[in-house]
């Protein structure tokens, strides 16, 4: 009795992307994008409203000032199960997905390098608490090869690709060969949306208004005003030359919840009333996202994203590296900064070896990209081989999931049989084929100027 | 007038008392700063307890200092679902709900640090250290921080920022 419905939960630290995928015989053709619900993964207490909102209820909040967040995730890993259960109860209830969990299958995402003791608790909740019929647990990057992120490069997804997943807690560089994550080459940069928002709160609190408690407002300010600059010192000079009026400075008008007006950037020549409070965002606009590329600006002893990508690819088999440089994909909310793609392209170009092409793919919606790829994964006929059913779990416990879900514990080292097979194939390929050249009409994004071989 | 030789040999007065701030203080300060940047909820140190989430103002559940009865938040929700079945959670699930461990404890318990070194884990996956030296930015305004405070080694860019720094954030360690 296979369940008809699969619940898809892209369980992130900042938000859960939740939705339903009906079976292959269902009507999923008319939802190619997959309408996911974006649910804040937090229990939020609003002092102004004097209420507590669980997950999706946050949209009912009127007063967003001084919101107190309780997040189930700590440093990227699920530690607070009480809070997570509270949010999940709401997601499965009639208010959001309206699904009977005992009759459904589940696909849930976990962080990279998830700890084995935490993985066991995932199993316990899925089977003992929610009683799902079957489930599959994987990382967001593992679903990407089934989706459409690399669609512009060719009809079928590439065999070797790199996924850069920049989310709330951290950023990972994940190389994948033949749908298998190469764990020995996965690298983690401890800069994510949370660190950027906190750094912005600190800077603004020191220089202007005390915003240390205003996570929601500063997060919104970060998403509206910040961008990644391609010339850091040039922009710094521009700001310095004329602090009040230059092309970079923007004024962010703080929201006024008593009259229900959200925060926004001040338009040119807009009149402000005397009660409006304004944040001057000048070099904060680009020094904050700069931390993704230079974490040592605040003393974090890690190299920036471009150097991390280069270090990760350098760990991979020599002959395949060209394919990896040519297939880099971006997912995750923190890749949404304007200018992120251009900056990453220019930094990576100088690190790419001369004989290889560089090609970066991005999605129209980086936040839901993993979710949409997961829908495609669920509808793939091979999916049913990867799920663990409740019966199996009740018989053998968590060993069932340790066997079936390929994780870092069972990772293959370099020099594996699979990889050497591809190496031989690719050697024949590389000779003749121009591989993924940028000048294709189906290309969605503008690319960095192609390198000549 | 002191002889030329004496002048040459006497150490310069300026350098006599100049020592750099011990690097471990700087390292500790940076580490503390980075940990603060990881915080999601600013909990006041004085009353660090499990946040009690109640729907009205009186606390339900006995609290007496450290020995408070842990409350399970998720059971308190009132979901308007007429078909909701009230079932008892299993033992393991209840344990997981009641006893929240922080990440450091979980990492220790998972014993990933004692795995053989060819196995990639959370601990080995961190990005490599930077190749280039850090660019110092003024701690006050954000421009290039070309000079460093004599007392606490924070960078600043010009005299105005130096003044602001000395009044507000300088740690004033006299070395």
């Amino acid at each position: 009795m296979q369940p008809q419905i699969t619940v898809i939960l892209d369980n992130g630290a900042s938000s859960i992307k939740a939705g339903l995928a009906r079976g292959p015989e269902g009507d999923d053709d008319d939802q190619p994008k997959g309408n996911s619900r974006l649910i804040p993964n937090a229990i939020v207490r609003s002092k102004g409203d004097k209420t507590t909102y669980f997950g999706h209820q946050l949209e009912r909040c009127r007063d967003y000032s001084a919101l107190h967040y309780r997040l189930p995730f700590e440093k990227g890993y699920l530690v607070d199960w009480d809070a997570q259960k509270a949010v999940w109860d709401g997601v499965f209830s009639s208010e959001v997905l309206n699904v009977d969990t005992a009759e459904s299958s589940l696909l849930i995402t976990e962080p990279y390098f998830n700890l084995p003791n935490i993985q066991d608790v995932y199993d316990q909740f899925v089977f003992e608490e929610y009683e799902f019929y079957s489930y599959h647990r994987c990382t967001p990057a593992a679903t990407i090869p089934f989706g459409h992120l690399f669609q512009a490069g060719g009809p079928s997804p590439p065999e070797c690709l790199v996924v850069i997943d920049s989310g709330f807690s951290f950023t990972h560089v994940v190389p994948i060969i033949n749908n298998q994550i190469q764990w020995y080459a996965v690298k983690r940069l401890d800069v994510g949306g949370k660190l950027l928002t906190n750094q912005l709160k600190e800077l603004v609190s020191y220089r202007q208004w005390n915003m240390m408690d205003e996570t929601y407002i500063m997060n919104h300010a970060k998403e509206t005003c910040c961008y990644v600059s391609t010339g850091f010192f040039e922009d710094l000079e521009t700001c310095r030359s004329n602090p009040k009026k230059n092309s970079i400075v923007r004024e962010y008008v703080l929201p006024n919840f008593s009259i229900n007006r959200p925060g926004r950037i001040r338009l040119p020549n807009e009149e402000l009333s005397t009660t409006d409070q304004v944040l001057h965002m000048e070099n904060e606009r680009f020094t904050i996202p700069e931390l993704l590329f230079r974490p040592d600006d605040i003393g974090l002893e890690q190299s920036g994203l471009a150097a991390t990508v280069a270090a990760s690819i350098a760990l991979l088999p020599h002959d395949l590296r060209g394919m990896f440089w040519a297939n880099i994909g971006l997912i995750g909310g923190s890749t949404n900064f304007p200018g992120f793609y251009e900056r990453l392209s220019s930094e990576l170009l100088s690190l790419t070896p001369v004989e290889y092409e560089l090609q970066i793919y991005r999605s129209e919606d980086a936040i839901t990209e993993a979710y949409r790829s997961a829908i495609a994964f669920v509808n793939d006929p091979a999916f049913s081989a990867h799920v663990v059913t409740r019966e199996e779990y009740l018989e053998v416990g968590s060993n069932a999931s340790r066997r079936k879900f390929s994780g870092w514990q069972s990772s293959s080292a370099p020099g594996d049989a699979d990889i050497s097979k591809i190496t031989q194939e690719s050697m024949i390929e590389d000779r003749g084929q121009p591989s993924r050249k940028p000048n294709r009409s189906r290309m969605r994004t503008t690319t960095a100027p192609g390198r000549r071989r | 007038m002191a002889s030329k030789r004496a002048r040459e040999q006497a150490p310069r007065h300026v350098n006599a008392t100049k020592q750099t701030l011990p690097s471990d203080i700087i390292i500790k300060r940076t580490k503390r700063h980075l940990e603060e940047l990881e915080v999601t909820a600013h909990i006041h140190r004085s009353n660090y307890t499990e946040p009690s989430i109640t729907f009205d103002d009186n606390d339900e559940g006995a609290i007496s200092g450290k020995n408070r009865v842990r409350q399970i938040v998720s059971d308190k929700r009132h979901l308007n679902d007429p078909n909701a079945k009230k079932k008892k959670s299993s033992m393991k699930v209840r344990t997981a709900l009641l006893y929240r461990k922080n990440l450091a404890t979980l990492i220790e318990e998972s014993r990933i640090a004692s795995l053989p070194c060819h196995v990639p884990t959370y601990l080995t996956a961190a990005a490599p250290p930077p190749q280039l030296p850090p660019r110092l930015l003024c701690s006050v305004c954000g421009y290039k921080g070309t000079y460093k405070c004599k007392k606490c080694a924070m960078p600043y860019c010009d005299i105005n920022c130096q003044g602001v720094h000395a009044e507000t954030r300088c740690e004033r360690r006299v070395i």
Side-chain angles (χ1 to χ4, degrees), chain A residues 113-124:
Chain A
F113 292 112
N114 202 10
L115 300 174
N117 31 357
I118 303 184
Q119 287 176 329
D120 291 348
V121 187
Y122 273 84
D123 291 347
Q124 287 163 14

Side-chain angles (χ1 to χ4, degrees), chain A residues 96-164:
Chain A
V96 182
L97 291 183
N98 195 14
V99 65
D100 182 5
T101 58
E103 309 272 317
S104 322
S105 186
L106 172 70
L107 189 150
I108 188 168
T109 56
E110 60 170 2
Y112 305 93
F113 292 112
N114 202 10
L115 300 174
N117 31 357
I118 303 184
Q119 287 176 329
D120 291 348
V121 187
Y122 273 84
D123 291 347
Q124 287 163 14
F125 268 79
V126 166
F127 287 126
E128 298 182 23
E129 178 65 25
Y130 291 106
E131 295 175 351
F132 275 97
Y133 182 81
S134 62
Y135 97 120
H136 179 73
R137 175 179 23 93
C138 66
T139 57
T143 64
I144 295 297
F146 296 93
H148 299 297
L149 181 59
F150 292 90
Q151 194 178 36
S156 61
E159 291 171 334
C160 297
L161 52 103
V162 175
V163 175
I164 299 179

Side-chain angles (χ1 to χ4, degrees), chain A residues 74-239:
Chain A
E74 179 193 327
K75 292 197 80 165
Y77 295 93
L78 225 188
V79 299
D80 188 355
W81 286 95
D82 190 9
Q84 186 65 90
K85 175 170 181 292
V87 177
W88 277 351
D89 284 345
V91 170
F92 299 137
S93 75
S94 52
E95 292 173 21
V96 182
L97 291 183
N98 195 14
V99 65
D100 182 5
T101 58
E103 309 272 317
S104 322
S105 186
L106 172 70
L107 189 150
I108 188 168
T109 56
E110 60 170 2
Y112 305 93
F113 292 112
N114 202 10
L115 300 174
N117 31 357
I118 303 184
Q119 287 176 329
D120 291 348
V121 187
Y122 273 84
D123 291 347
Q124 287 163 14
F125 268 79
V126 166
F127 287 126
E128 298 182 23
E129 178 65 25
Y130 291 106
E131 295 175 351
F132 275 97
Y133 182 81
S134 62
Y135 97 120
H136 179 73
R137 175 179 23 93
C138 66
T139 57
T143 64
I144 295 297
F146 296 93
H148 299 297
L149 181 59
F150 292 90
Q151 194 178 36
S156 61
E159 291 171 334
C160 297
L161 52 103
V162 175
V163 175
I164 299 179
D165 185 353
S166 184
F168 181 71
S169 325
F170 35 39
T171 302
H172 277 94
V173 178
V174 186
I176 299 180
I177 298 180
N178 268 347
N179 300 347
Q180 300 291 322
I181 297 183
Q182 303 302 301
W183 289 101
Y184 60 90
V186 174
K187 289 288 164 205
R188 180 189 75 247
L189 188 56
D190 288 309
V191 179
K194 174 179 59 175
L195 188 130
L196 299 179
T197 306
N198 281 340
Q199 175 70 2
L200 180 62
K201 282 200 273 186
E202 261 196 45
L203 287 186
V204 170
S205 302
Y206 183 64
R207 298 173 190 176
Q208 298 175 56
W209 310 88
N210 183 9
M211 305 290 270
M212 290 306 286
D213 284 330
E214 309 279 353
T215 313
Y216 184 88
I217 299 177
M218 292 320 292
N219 198 52
H220 186 257
K222 178 191 79 170
E223 291 175 6
T224 352
C225 308
C226 289
Y227 71 97
V228 183
S229 95
T230 25
F232 181 68
F233 285 111
E234 288 87 25
D235 283 356
L236 214 50
E237 294 294 338
T238 317
C239 279

